[in-house]
Amino acid sequence: MQDLWIIICVGLMGISCSILGCFLILRKMGMLTDAIAHSILPGIVIAYLISESKNNFIILLVATIFGVLTAFLTTWINRRLPNRGDTATGITFTFLFAVGIILVTLFAEQADIDQECVLFGEMLYIPFDTLDFFPEIPRAFPLGLCVFLCVLIFIKKAYRPLWMITFDENYALSVGISVSLWHYLLVSLVSMVTVASFELVGSVLVVALFVIPPATAYLVSNNLKKMIKLSTVFGLISVILGYYISVIFGGSSAASIVITETLIFLCVLIFSKLTKNNFNYVK
Amino acid sequence: MTKQNVIILKNIHVGYFEQKIFEDFSCEIPSSQMVGIVGANGSGKSTLLKAIMGLIPNQSGSIEIFGKTLQEVRNRVAYLPQKDSIDWDFPASVLEVALMGLYKEFGLFGKVTKQHKEKAMLYLEKVGMADKAKKQISELSGGQQQRVFLARAFAQEADLYLLDEPFVGVDVATENLLIDLLKNLVTAEGKTIVMVHHQLSTVSKYFDYLLLLKEGKIVKKGNIEETFTEENIQETYQFIK
Amino acid sequence: MINFWYVLAGGVLLAIATAIVGVWLVLRKEALTGDVVAHGVLPGVGMAFMLYGVKDMMILSVGAAISGFLSLYAMHTLERHTKLKKDTIMAIILSFFFALGLWILVKIQASGNSGVSGLESFLFGKAASILPKDILFSLISVLLVVFINLFSKRWLFYTTFDTLYSKSVGIRTDLANHLLTFMCILTIVAGLQSVGVVLMSAMLLTPAGIALFLSKKIKRQNLNTLFILSIFLNISVVIGGTSLSYLYPKTPTGPWIVVVCSLLALGLFTIKNKKSNS
């Protein structure tokens, strides 16, 4: 039963990430995900400090605000450093993350977080060596379900505008779609999913959940709908396989899931290379 | 006039990823001419120049320049990349860019002397940019940027110039100045210029020899009078049958 | 107080190296490569510890350098062989290497090796634990980076500014990339102990970003100005951050340096913007 709960909860997160990830990697926002995953840290600490208990709603809200702040700051700095979007992203997230680390170390007693757990996940009372028991599972379930439903509804309702701003931003603008509105909506949803998965897998590994399954699907699909479906499948398989691998071989399950995702990615990559007509791979 | 071929391509295969651009492609380019390469987007114009310069490895076949391999005659060839491949925000001055053309004289680690700078200034003067030598390249207009880059190409003092769309974003006055300089190189010094060009209205005025490309194949090649006909152009720009 | 001077000396040395490498990374639009390497060193640190069982800086650094290099190599291989976008590839490599490192660390922890407790200082840096021999290591790295930079400035300039042209005149662009990779890894490994892997990219990027911005404002856009500005900013920030972290002894030094630097960046960006608007 323990195992089942873990798989259901992490699986829900994995699927949510996989779906959103498709739009993220197509919009070249892969590293923005990394940035958001780092910069929501001060938000989480602040939410802990003001709510004292683990109030999911407050954490989600504050962290989402910080996610949007990240995207906003990045854009703002980018306007001052033309053509250097990556530098802007780097400056923003290291700043917010550093603030977060200082807050964590200053208020470690009150907030009950410590700096290692921020990176490794299971930050809520669960030291990472007893990972395999997840005493918090039932609590994470409604959160996961809620986030998953949000993502599902958002994608169903907003599929067309999202597709348009992903495929051709200028055209979308010309027909009156607010690119920045949808961009920030996407960013806030990403922040929500990140913060919800954060405690399960940690700030760096959540990036893998967002990026690797869609990237795998991208290799073998030629339209967005198919890519989303495949990405979901890859995400779910990796979660299940990765978790059982960690049960058998030990080690961190979050890390096992990411390693499994990467292995699947490599298999699909090799498969797609073998089946396609190889010519001359030069960029 | 006996025409020598400067560039001889034999059965080359070139492509990006799964996309093949040239398959079993062969062609010759005659010397001491203004040679134009014309074709629709994706026909392989720029790729052809890159393949000649060894910027994209060819899978098989051979490329000969002046009857030798590229490695042996590199100093006699000047290449001007497409404008959008360059980072215009880079902190470099006009003089520094022109100096790049003298690379073969000072190499990577040699000292840049006063003579080098004077020489670079000479070429900047030729394109009318000497007064802007201290300027930052991002402060220049599109036409001025292209003048500087041609000055760099001239500074290479090559026998063969491969120019990839040198007139994109260039005003008419600059274009006329530059084309005169280029034509002078051909007629007075017997140099060969191969240029990717997209402005059909000026083709007959600029070139002596034309190469019409479509989807990695030659539609027609030959002297401008024979090749630049309405029929051929239609065929070159026609979409897939 | 002697310790404070050690920390400061180590920090200033590191500031010089990161400022130089950072300028190149920003100019090459490879700003986040530093972040990838910084995360990529983690499996190497874990493996080196697993194999030797001691927390010796030298051994761990070698491990870190090897796996940092592997992460970059993997990144470039994927770039060449797939049509995935660069940022996607970076995110994949970064999270995979970090996961691998984490997996190894957890394994070590489960094995109950007592020496493991200090390993987390690699993540956020513990400048307070710097010893004279670490400073010697930093000094060597910095001298190497400065020397390489002086020696091959033209090389990096040409290949960064116009890769196709450089190739066309026969300049080895791939070697230039390796050179920068080497400088990058050297700097990051040298900074592991004082700043830690996670915030390393801030020391690389933020001063270089400010320098690029300022050089445009003062109309002195050339490489030397960028280097001087970036080094100067980075040193002042390190001094400021280190002093601040001594006021709050519980907190690690790295984040303070980053916060000071970022606030400076944000401040400068606003002031200059208002001026240009008026």
Side-chain angles (χ1 to χ4, degrees):
Chain A
M1 199 55 203
Q2 286 279 14
D3 289 351
L4 193 64
W5 272 121
I6 296 171
I7 286 173
I8 290 174
C9 290
V10 182
L12 281 174
M13 292 304 174
I15 295 173
S16 312
C17 291
S18 306
I19 297 173
L20 283 181
C22 291
F23 294 98
L24 294 177
I25 72 162
L26 290 176
R27 277 182 62 73
K28 297 180 194 161
M29 286 161 65
M31 286 308 277
L32 187 64
T33 324
D34 180 51
I36 290 174
H38 282 92
S39 38
I40 55 174
L41 179 64
I44 292 174
V45 183
I46 290 169
Y48 271 39
L49 288 174
I50 53 176
S51 70
E52 288 192 350
S53 64
K54 290 167 287 177
N55 187 325
N56 288 333
F57 180 72
I58 292 184
I59 295 177
L60 275 184
L61 186 76
V62 179
T64 307
I65 293 173
F66 270 84
V68 175
L69 183 70
T70 311
F72 174 77
L73 255 183
T74 306
T75 319
W76 187 80
I77 295 176
N78 196 13
R79 249 182 276 139
R80 275 139 195 90
L81 296 171
N83 287 326
R84 295 292 185 281
D86 52 346
T87 308
T89 313
I91 293 177
T92 311
F93 87 79
T94 49
F95 170 52
L96 290 172
F97 192 67
V99 171
I101 295 291
I102 290 176
L103 289 179
V104 166
T105 43
L106 282 181
F107 302 106
E109 291 87 25
Q110 291 99 307
D112 215 347
I113 317 173
D114 74 60
Q115 31 172 310
E116 282 83 54
C117 293
V118 168
L119 290 174
F120 299 154
E122 300 93 49
M123 47 179 288
L124 298 178
Y125 307 103
I126 313 165
F128 48 75
D129 48 342
T130 58
L131 170 104
D132 301 344
F133 305 109
F134 274 115
E136 306 286 327
I137 282 311
R139 192 190 63 82
F141 176 65
L143 182 69
L145 196 64
C146 178
V147 167
F148 172 68
L149 288 176
C150 280
V151 171
L152 214 59
I153 293 167
F154 178 70
I155 295 296
K156 272 258 179 267
K157 290 278 168 211
Y159 182 79
R160 197 164 303 135
L162 280 179
W163 188 84
M164 298 256 264
I165 64 163
T166 306
F167 179 64
D168 188 346
E169 224 175 81
N170 291 327
Y171 177 74
L173 267 176
S174 75
V175 295
I177 294 173
S178 170
V179 173
S180 54
L181 171 76
W182 290 106
H183 177 78
Y184 282 111
L185 271 178
L186 190 61
V187 165
S188 33
L189 212 61
V190 169
S191 318
M192 258 173 69
V193 177
T194 308
V195 81
S197 345
F198 193 59
E199 42 193 81
L200 302 180
V201 295
S203 69
V204 181
L205 303 186
V206 70
V207 179
L209 295 184
F210 271 116
V211 171
I212 301 180
T216 317
Y218 180 77
L219 294 174
V220 286
S221 44
N222 40 21
N223 71 64
L224 185 54
K225 281 209 166 116
K226 189 179 164 198
M227 184 174 153
I228 294 175
K229 280 177 197 146
L230 275 176
S231 168
T232 319
V233 174
F234 287 133
L236 199 59
I237 293 176
S238 325
V239 168
I240 298 171
L241 261 180
Y243 176 71
Y244 278 106
I245 288 174
S246 78
V247 169
I248 298 167
F249 294 102
S252 149
S253 357
S256 297
I257 292 171
V258 176
I259 294 169
T260 315
E261 278 184 339
T262 316
L263 290 178
I264 293 179
F265 170 78
L266 288 177
C267 288
V268 172
L269 177 64
I270 292 166
F271 173 77
S272 74
K273 288 279 160 189
L274 288 179
T275 50
K276 265 177 205 153
N277 185 7
N278 275 26
F279 187 55
N280 183 9
Y281 295 109
V282 187
K283 206 164 205 175
Chain B
M1 171 171 131
T2 48
K3 264 189 223 151
Q4 255 184 315
N5 289 327
V6 216
I7 306 173
I8 302 171
L9 304 175
K10 273 190 199 136
N11 314 92
I12 61 162
H13 290 247
V14 172
Y16 300 91
F17 290 97
E18 289 92 26
Q19 197 189 355
K20 299 162 192 182
I21 312 246
F22 293 113
E23 261 185 290
D24 207 12
F25 181 90
S26 303
C27 104
E28 303 85 39
I29 289 172
S31 77
S32 304
Q33 304 245 14
M34 279 285 271
V35 181
I37 302 179
V38 170
N41 286 335
S43 57
K45 295 167 293 181
S46 299
T47 312
L48 184 59
L49 291 196
K50 285 183 189 161
I52 294 171
M53 284 315 294
L55 302 174
I56 309 169
N58 60 313
Q59 291 289 77
S60 60
S62 68
I63 298 173
E64 272 182 20
I65 304 174
F66 301 117
K68 293 183 176 139
T69 64
L70 173 72
Q71 215 54 44
E72 293 168 297
V73 293
R74 207 183 270 286
N75 285 347
R76 295 174 63 192
V77 188
Y79 169 70
L80 182 81
Q82 222 170 59
K83 213 178 163 202
D84 54 13
S85 74
I86 289 151
D87 172 21
W88 294 102
D89 288 317
F90 197 91
S93 68
V94 168
L95 181 63
E96 280 176 303
V97 174
L99 269 172
M100 285 176 86
L102 301 170
Y103 166 76
K104 63 184 172 195
E105 291 182 22
F106 48 71
L108 281 178
F109 309 113
K111 201 169 152 45
V112 176
T113 61
K114 222 176 178 172
Q115 279 86 349
H116 291 135
K117 284 187 184 161
E118 278 163 11
K119 205 167 165 189
M121 284 303 286
L122 214 68
Y123 284 104
L124 281 176
E125 217 155 289
K126 245 186 170 175
V127 297
M129 290 296 294
D131 53 330
K132 301 243 171 23
K134 288 256 158 12
K135 281 240 171 186
Q136 171 70 27
I137 45 160
S138 58
E139 296 171 84
L140 304 180
S141 71
Q144 291 171 328
Q145 288 175 340
Q146 219 51 5
R147 286 183 192 208
V148 175
F149 273 72
L150 267 167
R152 179 180 78 179
F154 292 147
Q156 287 182 268
E157 294 174 338
D159 296 321
L160 168 65
Y161 292 84
L162 304 174
L163 314 176
D164 201 343
E165 305 218 20
F167 301 137
V168 168
V170 166
D171 52 294
V172 184
T174 304
E175 186 164 335
N176 288 337
L177 169 91
L178 296 179
I179 201 75
D180 284 346
L181 287 170
L182 290 171
K183 277 193 168 167
N184 188 45
L185 277 180
V186 175
T187 49
E189 301 181 42
K191 308 280 168 84
T192 310
I193 290 168
V194 181
M195 192 195 296
V196 171
H197 194 64
H198 67 288
Q199 197 66 43
L200 283 179
S201 58
T202 46
V203 165
S204 58
K205 217 165 67 191
Y206 290 175
F207 300 115
D208 311 318
Y209 190 94
L210 204 60
L211 206 68
L212 294 170
L213 276 185
K214 184 188 179 183
E215 289 161 11
K217 290 189 179 62
I218 294 177
V219 177
K220 273 278 159 19
K221 59 172 182 170
N223 288 334
I224 189 82
E225 305 85 40
E226 301 153 24
T227 43
F228 194 63
T229 62
E230 197 149 319
E231 199 181 321
N232 288 341
I233 294 301
Q234 282 246 314
E235 201 186 331
T236 310
Y237 284 91
Q238 203 173 54
F239 292 109
I240 308 130
K241 291 140 267 181
Chain C
M1 210 47 203
I2 286 175
N3 190 28
F4 176 78
W5 294 113
Y6 279 149
V7 174
L8 207 58
V12 168
L13 286 173
L14 186 66
I16 297 171
T18 48
I20 293 173
V21 177
V23 167
W24 285 118
L25 289 179
V26 168
L27 286 179
R28 288 181 159 238
K29 299 180 188 162
E30 283 185 15
L32 295 174
T33 314
D35 198 38
V36 175
V37 181
H39 285 85
V41 299
L42 198 62
V45 174
M47 281 300 276
F49 184 78
M50 218 169 178
L51 291 176
Y52 289 91
V54 283
K55 205 180 136 268
D56 181 271
M57 257 327 269
M58 249 9 220
I59 292 170
L60 296 189
S61 297
V62 171
I66 292 173
S67 89
F69 176 77
L70 279 179
S71 69
L72 274 186
Y73 181 76
M75 195 176 102
H76 290 143
T77 312
L78 276 188
E79 249 181 276
R80 223 170 307 130
H81 291 274
T82 69
K83 47 186 181 164
L84 287 166
K85 304 283 179 300
K86 194 172 179 183
D87 66 308
T88 308
I89 293 171
M90 292 208 289
I92 292 175
I93 298 293
L94 178 150
S95 49
F96 169 66
F97 271 76
F98 196 78
L100 201 63
L102 174 59
W103 195 80
I104 295 172
L105 285 189
V106 172
K107 266 286 190 204
I108 297 173
Q109 210 127 29
S111 73
N113 192 320
S114 58
V116 76
S117 57
L119 279 181
E120 76 267 6
S121 66
F122 273 100
L123 297 171
F124 302 103
K126 253 199 194 107
S129 63
I130 283 186
L131 302 169
K133 73 168 184 182
D134 297 326
I135 292 184
L136 189 70
F137 182 61
S138 297
L139 185 67
I140 295 170
S141 321
V142 171
L143 285 178
L144 219 54
V145 167
V146 171
F147 178 73
I148 295 175
N149 189 52
L150 282 177
F151 188 62
S152 56
K153 204 167 77 183
R154 192 181 303 148
W155 196 359
L156 289 169
F157 164 33
Y158 283 13
T159 51
T160 308
F161 173 58
D162 192 342
T163 318
L164 288 178
Y165 175 83
S166 305
K167 277 188 190 164
S168 81
V169 295
I171 296 174
R172 291 286 300 269
T173 49
D174 50 342
L175 277 187
N177 294 344
H178 288 319
L179 200 67
L180 189 69
T181 304
F182 175 71
M183 284 161 79
C184 188
I185 289 175
L186 196 68
T187 314
I188 287 174
V189 170
L192 276 183
Q193 210 183 4
S194 44
V195 198
V197 299
V198 187
L199 294 173
M200 199 61 219
S201 42
M203 276 193 83
L204 289 166
L205 301 186
T206 316
I210 304 175
L212 192 66
F213 176 80
L214 285 182
S215 75
K216 209 166 265 178
K217 290 287 165 204
I218 59 173
K219 300 244 175 221
R220 285 253 152 61
Q221 290 188 71
N222 61 61
L223 280 173
N224 289 337
T225 317
L226 274 186
F227 286 128
I228 291 166
L229 270 177
S230 174
I231 291 173
F232 172 74
L233 281 166
N234 218 0
I235 290 178
S236 7
V237 158
V238 162
I239 294 173
T242 314
S243 315
L244 257 179
S245 80
Y246 265 76
L247 296 178
Y248 300 93
K250 263 194 306 180
T251 53
T253 322
W256 281 112
I257 296 176
V258 176
V259 168
V260 171
C261 196
S262 314
L263 286 177
L264 186 68
L266 294 181
L268 284 172
F269 287 163
T270 25
I271 291 165
K272 288 290 168 179
N273 190 43
K274 269 181 196 157
K275 261 187 195 164
S276 66
N277 278 351
S278 62

